[in-house]
Amino acid sequence: MKTRKKLKIKQRYVENLIVDITKDTIQLNQQLEVNYGYKQNIDSTFTFINLLTPNLDTLLFHIKNTSNNGLRVMNTYNDNTFNILISSGNIDLFSNEFTNDLMELSRLQKAEKNVSELNSVYFLEIQNTYQSEYYNPLHLKKSSIEEHFMGK
């Protein structure tokens, strides 16, 4: 391949990598904002319980209306350009240092995805346990709730 053609291809890959990383950054920042909102709801519930010592009906109403039913912790990374670089063999257009940095980024993304999947499973297990034990919209198990929150 001629040097000029290689430089043009390399430049296109660089531009696509920048787009991928920009999209990832935007997505992660949006997720941080969403998670901050969830954290505020959780803090609000703890404050509500600890400071106000609510009665059972008020507590149930508060928990039902401030629950985080839509917690999202999974990220989908934009790795198409990286995958094309690897599968096409065009990764050799870049220096060893840059290639190693891309490989490390890919490794970190995979590790984060694994941790997120485990955290998601754990969270859903806790949420399902809570809902099945303490909150059933058709029939509230008041004795379980009273035992848990009121120490009866």
Side-chain angles (χ1 to χ4, degrees):
M1 220 185 286
K2 293 183 179 178
T3 304
R4 177 178 273 171
K5 188 175 180 181
K6 282 185 176 182
L7 286 174
K8 192 172 184 176
I9 291 171
K10 181 179 177 180
Q11 183 58 37
R12 206 169 328 137
Y13 280 123
V14 168
E15 290 168 1
N16 289 340
L17 286 167
I18 290 170
V19 168
D20 289 351
I21 292 171
T22 300
K23 287 179 181 178
D24 288 346
T25 302
I26 291 168
Q27 174 187 315
L28 290 169
N29 282 329
Q30 289 171 340
Q31 190 60 50
L32 284 171
E33 286 181 34
V34 168
N35 287 341
Y36 182 74
Y38 291 146
K39 181 190 175 301
Q40 287 180 313
N41 283 345
I42 292 168
D43 289 347
S44 169
T45 299
F46 282 134
T47 299
F48 183 79
I49 291 169
N50 290 328
L51 295 180
L52 300 178
T53 315
N55 66 39
L56 182 59
D57 291 332
T58 305
L59 179 62
L60 289 173
F61 179 81
H62 181 78
I63 290 172
K64 179 182 173 189
N65 290 304
T66 61
S67 66
N68 296 321
N69 295 328
L71 182 61
R72 301 283 184 262
V73 294
M74 301 299 293
N75 294 312
T76 304
Y77 294 103
N78 295 284
D79 58 0
N80 291 338
T81 305
F82 174 76
N83 291 334
I84 291 169
L85 278 169
I86 297 297
S87 65
S88 69
N90 285 334
I91 194 76
D92 66 355
L93 293 170
F94 296 94
S95 69
N96 284 340
E97 183 180 357
F98 187 79
T99 299
N100 288 337
D101 288 344
L102 283 177
M103 299 296 265
E104 178 64 7
L105 175 62
S106 178
R107 186 193 69 76
L108 290 170
Q109 289 172 337
K110 288 175 185 172
E112 188 278 330
K113 185 176 180 184
N114 288 336
V115 169
S116 292
E117 286 173 358
L118 292 172
N119 286 343
S120 180
V121 167
Y122 179 69
F123 173 80
L124 290 174
E125 286 175 1
I126 289 172
Q127 186 179 36
N128 288 336
T129 299
Y130 163 79
Q131 285 179 339
S132 66
E133 188 172 342
Y134 297 112
Y135 179 73
N136 181 340
L138 301 176
H139 178 71
L140 292 176
K141 299 178 182 178
K142 284 193 175 187
S143 61
S144 295
I145 296 169
E146 287 172 349
E147 288 173 13
H148 183 76
F149 289 109
M150 306 301 184
K152 291 184 179 181

